[in-house]
Amino acid sequence: MPDIVLDTNTIADFLSQYFKQQVAGGRSARFCDEGMLTRTLAVHVNRILDTFRRYQMGEELESPYSGGIVVASTFAFVELCRNWGRMVKARFSLVQLQAFLEQPPEWFDIAPVDDTLLPFYANIPTHVWLKGETKAIEWCDAIHAATADSRGRDCFLATTDQRLQAVPHLRDRIVI
């Protein structure tokens, strides 16, 4: 199964549910359709979580990673902190975020933004055709797309950004 890269907006709602639903410690806690986490995205994330849970329970699986993992770039977390008041709105605390960053769950990867991302970043177009006109893709949004591309063709990108949704090579990999 493919990995899923979350952009800044989806990571805020993901973390809110992660803490609220007690996904961290609960064996049956699930993500649901709420905010930026659509039903489709929740299904994908829950499949990843279920694979890890089945593996931990001793089920014969090739690997706990065979179901994919959830990914966000370090930049998504920087943007989350930069827009804390607007995006988080007291849905979880800085202490909770710090704990998550220090020890994310095994099924979650915090992807670096470093020189290995550069070739993928360079392949993201600077402009797309959207609603009858050319629109620029912001460099910060391009980082999310490049992070998804760096994970391979099977990786999904969870974004509500219409400009990223209009990138031709990403269209079939967008989860909203």
Side-chain angles (χ1 to χ4, degrees):
M1 242 187 241
D3 296 345
I4 300 171
V5 173
L6 306 178
D7 72 359
T8 305
N9 289 321
T10 55
I11 193 70
D13 286 344
F14 170 89
L15 287 171
S16 176
Q17 282 195 37
Y18 178 81
F19 295 118
K20 183 172 75 176
Q21 306 288 2
Q22 297 181 343
V23 173
R27 290 190 173 185
S28 62
R30 317 256 316 143
F31 288 92
C32 61
D33 178 358
E34 184 178 284
M36 299 283 179
L37 265 70
T38 63
R39 183 177 166 281
T40 302
L41 180 54
V43 165
H44 283 291
V45 172
N46 286 327
R47 282 186 190 151
I48 290 169
L49 186 55
D50 288 343
T51 301
F52 274 85
R53 286 176 175 161
R54 289 190 345 257
Y55 185 81
Q56 289 173 340
M57 297 298 289
E59 189 172 319
E60 291 290 324
L61 296 174
E62 180 181 315
S63 160
Y65 301 99
S66 61
I69 59 175
V70 181
V71 180
S73 71
T74 54
F75 184 74
F77 287 99
V78 169
E79 282 292 287
L80 181 69
C81 291
R82 201 173 73 75
N83 295 293
W84 188 263
R86 180 178 63 82
M87 297 182 84
V88 176
K89 297 177 186 166
R91 296 183 293 169
F92 54 91
S93 71
L94 275 174
V95 172
Q96 289 173 304
L97 178 62
Q98 180 181 3
F100 185 90
L101 291 171
E102 286 178 3
Q103 189 172 3
E106 190 177 1
W107 46 269
F108 193 97
D109 183 42
I110 300 173
V113 177
D114 58 16
D115 59 342
T116 62
L117 198 61
L118 190 57
F120 301 101
Y121 185 80
N123 283 330
I124 304 301
T126 57
H127 293 78
V128 291
W129 186 254
L130 183 65
K131 298 180 181 177
E133 61 183 318
T134 302
K135 301 270 187 171
I137 294 180
E138 294 180 14
W139 68 270
C140 51
D141 293 326
I143 289 175
H144 305 305
T147 301
D149 281 350
S150 74
R151 314 279 311 177
R153 275 290 300 151
D154 289 337
C155 181
F156 288 117
L157 174 60
T159 183
T160 57
D161 188 290
Q162 291 182 341
R163 295 169 195 212
L164 290 182
Q165 292 171 10
V167 174
H169 77 272
L170 291 176
R171 284 187 186 139
D172 62 335
R173 297 170 39 212
I174 299 290
V175 176
I176 52 172

